[in-house]
Amino acid sequence: MALFDFLEKERTVAGTGFNRWLVPPAALAIHLCIGMAYGFSVFWLPLSKALGIKESLACPVDIGLLERILSSSCDWQISMLNWMYTMFFVFLGLSAWLFGGWLEHAGPRKAGVVSAVCWCGGLVISALGVYQHQIWLMWLGSGVIGGIGLGLGYISPVSTLIKWFPDRRGMATGMAIMGFGGGAVIGAPLADKLMKHFATPDSVGVWQTFLVMAAIYLVFMLAGALAYRVPPTGWKPAGWTPPAANGNAMITTRHVHASKVWGIPQFWLVWWVLCLNVTAGIGILGMASPLLQEIFGGQLLNLPLSFNELNTAQKAQIAAIAAGFTGLLSLFNIGGRFFWASCSDFLGRKATYGIFFVLGLALYASIPTMAHTGHLALFVIFFCIILSMYGGGFATVPAYLADLFGTQMVGAIHGRLLTAWSAAGVFGPLLISGVREYQIEHGVAKAQAYDITMYVLAGLLLVGLVCNLLVRPLADKHFMSDAELAAEKKLAHERDAAAATGSVVASTGVTSPVAVAFGWLAVGIPLAIGIAITVQKASALFK
């Protein structure tokens, strides 16, 4: 037996009676770790003072970009560090696209292990970059290599969960992808405590924090990857009736090869559906803190003052309140992933996205009025709903793809679709910041500078609504023939469960209660702690 034979897909096929509820916590273990990508901004301020410790050491004014990148004698600007955030989601989408087909053949366990090595190895390289004060090492480590780990880790459980939960596709993927949204609520407080622990008069404690978090994440991610199991071909839940028998034309029982989706109109319609939904949400998520501060200013402190009229101490107070607002949005981002994806099992994916666009359009268009009339509570509620639908869009789309294109290669197809996230990750923040800065430069007050932005985002959602309405069931020509499907199953190392055992395996899902409980506690306790910390911070918004 080769050293790593246990990683092969054939070694991950579940036996009769395996409890499918063990798979979601395995997926969550990986997603909660890679989801720290959302919380990386906790490092920006300390890293901007990595050399000066108390104050940043500014680079010479006449220094060039390359010299600034290679310099080890002056501190990095936050704008340089922010490139990491963009690189995360660009390389997430690219790696999910490039390696999605390989994942279907290699299986989720091998992909999960590679993801763990890339994500945690990237943190180690970033630690070296901080220690040597070379930002290009951070970009390479966490941005490029870590970004590849993000992509593989993100899509590794999708196909497996959809096959284990054909009766609850949305709920299953929602549980896992909820973890990606929740990674920051665990990782950011942990990173903050670790940096304070390691901080000295000569160090801000970031490189040590990277190393500790890499070790913790490696343990959790490997445990999750090794816990993955795939169902044998032909498996189905006991008593479940396939959706085609219920007459839902939007759910197919046939399968499309991932290599063909680029030429299918429905794929591009769903691509734009995801891209436009994410563009609207991600731009707001990145600007939530300054948006609240600049619009409401002294009202957050019950003072009749604009943002520019506040003194330094008062601005620090409303910054803390805005941090609570950002935390609250994160909670709705997390909860929306599970809530909306689960609802899509009953409403249908197309109808669920229709709600996202119609309701989102109305909320975005109403926000300027809420801001000008000083309705802080409604303003906060509207944004919480918007962010729940932003997260819900991510969690619902894998099931949408499975409905339209079949389950055989849904992981690879999902990987290709995530290039929409890469595009939105660049376009969304640029759109928000660009429109805002243009207006301020032309004399618009900061409190009104977001009005046009909200209307632009509402317009994007209108386009998304049209794209979603145009989605139709696929024509027969796009599906694999029986011979093509058999060849793909052979590449994926699948064998028919009926041929292997004489009957279709059907798990009742009631075995291994101790293992199920342990798996859920292992991921549930850290998530609960992170949520509790976030709720505590968010409470400042309502004092």
Side-chain angles (χ1 to χ4, degrees):
M1 184 186 296
L3 181 60
F4 295 111
D5 270 359
F6 69 94
L7 296 179
E8 298 302 322
K9 189 174 182 180
E10 300 95 313
R11 300 291 300 277
T12 66
V13 178
T16 304
F18 174 80
N19 193 322
R20 61 177 177 168
W21 289 96
L22 289 169
V23 181
L28 273 168
I30 291 179
H31 272 236
L32 286 171
C33 294
I34 61 176
M36 179 53 188
Y38 271 133
F40 244 67
S41 59
V42 72
F43 298 116
W44 294 167
L45 187 58
L47 284 174
S48 70
K49 300 183 290 185
L51 295 178
I53 309 299
K54 292 185 177 180
E55 297 291 338
S56 297
L57 289 180
C59 293
V61 177
D62 58 347
I63 192 172
L65 178 60
L66 182 59
E67 292 175 287
R68 188 182 296 272
I69 291 172
L70 298 176
S71 175
S72 59
S73 59
C74 61
D75 277 314
W76 302 314
Q77 296 172 313
I78 290 180
S79 59
M80 295 175 69
L81 295 164
N82 264 332
W83 274 103
M84 184 84 72
Y85 191 72
T86 300
M87 294 171 74
F88 277 150
F89 300 112
V90 168
F91 281 95
L92 184 156
L94 291 176
S95 61
W97 163 32
L98 294 173
F99 299 116
W102 169 80
L103 185 153
E104 293 286 3
H105 300 156
R109 179 181 291 177
K110 185 178 288 186
V113 169
V114 174
S115 170
V117 171
C118 289
W119 178 241
C120 300
L123 285 172
V124 172
I125 295 172
S126 290
L128 178 63
V130 176
Y131 186 78
Q132 298 287 343
H133 202 73
Q134 294 294 308
I135 197 169
W136 66 270
L137 277 173
M138 287 188 61
W139 289 343
L140 172 65
S142 289
V144 178
I145 298 174
I148 292 171
L150 284 176
L152 283 172
Y154 191 87
I155 65 173
S156 64
V158 168
S159 178
T160 301
L161 284 168
I162 284 175
K163 291 171 184 174
W164 273 119
F165 291 86
D167 53 334
R168 304 178 187 179
R169 290 174 178 175
M171 182 208 68
T173 55
M175 280 190 290
I177 293 174
M178 175 183 70
F180 193 82
V185 303
I186 299 173
L190 174 63
D192 184 59
K193 287 186 178 297
L194 287 172
M195 285 188 290
K196 290 176 180 176
H197 174 75
F198 289 116
T200 68
D202 302 315
S203 171
V204 291
V206 174
W207 70 266
Q208 301 95 324
T209 298
F210 279 159
L211 292 179
V212 172
M213 295 186 77
I216 294 171
Y217 286 160
L218 184 64
V219 171
F220 271 86
M221 292 181 73
L222 288 179
L226 297 179
Y228 278 149
R229 297 291 187 277
V230 297
T233 305
W235 179 90
K236 65 177 182 178
W240 175 67
T241 302
N246 297 330
N248 190 337
M250 290 298 293
I251 303 178
T252 184
T253 56
R254 300 176 66 185
H255 309 277
V256 175
H257 198 282
S259 64
K260 294 183 178 180
V261 295
W262 299 117
I264 299 176
Q266 286 90 333
F267 173 81
W268 288 107
L269 288 171
V270 179
W271 192 97
W272 279 109
V273 162
L274 181 65
C275 183
L276 293 168
N277 187 62
V278 173
T279 297
I282 204 169
I284 290 299
L285 194 59
M287 293 294 291
S289 177
L291 184 146
L292 185 77
Q293 294 177 66
E294 292 178 353
I295 288 179
F296 288 96
Q299 185 178 336
L300 297 173
L301 302 175
N302 296 316
L303 297 173
L305 301 173
S306 68
F307 177 78
N308 290 334
E309 294 172 323
L310 298 174
N311 59 38
T312 303
Q314 290 167 335
K315 287 182 178 180
Q317 286 180 274
I318 69 167
I321 295 172
F325 176 58
T326 303
L328 189 65
L329 295 183
S330 296
L331 293 180
F332 276 83
N333 179 16
I334 297 166
R337 292 170 187 248
F338 180 74
F339 174 78
W340 289 111
S342 299
C343 287
S344 76
D345 287 331
F346 305 99
L347 300 174
R349 322 309 167 191
K350 186 174 180 178
T352 302
Y353 266 99
I355 293 171
F356 293 164
F357 290 123
V358 172
L359 181 57
L361 192 158
L363 293 177
Y364 274 116
S366 302
I367 282 171
T369 301
M370 296 301 101
H372 296 322
T373 55
H375 286 94
L376 177 61
L378 283 177
F379 181 91
V380 171
I381 291 170
F382 283 12
F383 268 104
C384 287
I385 296 171
I386 286 170
L387 263 294
S388 79
M389 295 188 293
Y390 163 77
F394 281 118
T396 304
V397 81
Y400 204 170
L401 294 174
D403 290 352
L404 289 169
F405 300 97
T407 61
Q408 182 63 36
M409 300 195 74
V410 66
I413 296 171
H414 185 222
R416 284 158 171 75
L417 189 82
L418 288 180
T419 54
W421 189 0
S422 297
V426 175
F427 182 60
L430 287 177
L431 176 66
I432 295 289
S433 60
V435 172
R436 172 184 175 275
E437 289 174 7
Y438 176 83
Q439 292 186 91
I440 291 174
E441 287 173 1
H442 287 75
V444 177
K446 287 184 177 180
Q448 284 80 46
Y450 296 96
D451 290 7
I452 298 299
T453 303
M454 295 301 117
Y455 296 134
V456 169
L457 295 180
L460 293 181
L461 293 183
L462 179 60
V463 177
L465 174 63
V466 173
C467 291
N468 188 57
L469 291 173
L470 292 174
V471 175
R472 296 288 188 275
L474 271 65
D476 288 343
K477 64 180 180 179
H478 297 304
F479 293 102
M480 286 188 276
S481 65
D482 291 342
E484 290 172 329
L485 180 59
E488 178 54 38
K489 286 184 176 182
K490 185 176 180 180
L491 288 172
H493 307 286
E494 294 181 14
R495 63 175 181 169
D496 195 318
T501 66
S503 62
V504 174
V505 180
S507 171
T508 60
V510 298
T511 56
S512 305
V514 175
V516 172
F518 178 80
W520 281 103
L521 286 173
V523 295
I525 291 174
L527 183 58
I529 292 172
I531 290 174
I533 293 172
T534 305
V535 168
Q536 184 180 22
K537 292 180 179 179
S539 64
L541 187 62
F542 303 102
K543 289 181 179 178

